[in-house]
Amino acid sequence: MTAHNNLIFAPNSLRRRLMMIAAGCTMLAMPGAFAQEVAAPAAGIPANGDEIQQFCTNIADAARDQRYLLQKQDLEKLQGDIDARIATLEKRRAEYEDWLKRRNDFLKQAEIGLVGIYKTMKPDAAAAKLELVNPGIAAAIIMRLPPRQSSLILSEMSSEKAAVLTNVISSATDPNTSKEPS
């Protein structure tokens, strides 16, 4: 006979002791709130398998409810963290939009002032300066000047620079050109 078979066929006193130990371990493993609800079995009353099954069945709903409560609390904490992050992002988005508006207003004013500067310059001096500027900016300035003044400036530029600016200007007015760079 193996040790396992000895336990199965052991006298009732050994079986009762083992069941009492199992019930005690079960109660010690439960959270404090549940331990108060369950009374310890009396020392003189033997516990059988049905009572243990009944005990486990009775605490299963309470344990499940406790798990759900803990999960709900975790989810509420996570939702609070997400809400805080969303609020921070919204605040930063508003700051960025304000900064972008101020930047665009500044660029518009600077462009108007820059065009005014080149409008008062002599064509040969304006051509020399625009040859050194980024071709996109130079093309934008030339497009804003009166056509007569723009032609005088382009005629004073080197052929290569004038061709680059002409290409930029013509591509800007081409309706088939995509607005999104790709």
Side-chain angles (χ1 to χ4, degrees), residues 17-37:
R17 286 186 200 152
L18 289 175
M19 288 189 179
M20 295 293 283
I21 290 171
C25 289
T26 303
M27 289 179 56
L28 288 175
M30 294 186 323
F34 298 125
Q36 294 174 357
E37 296 175 10

Side-chain angles (χ1 to χ4, degrees), residues 118 121-124 126-127 130 142 145 148-157:
Y118 279 95
M121 291 177 84
K122 293 185 179 184
D124 57 338
L130 286 175
I142 288 177
L145 293 174
R148 180 175 176 101
Q149 190 171 8
S150 296
S151 64
L152 290 174
I153 291 173
L154 285 173
S155 67
E156 292 291 329
M157 287 184 163

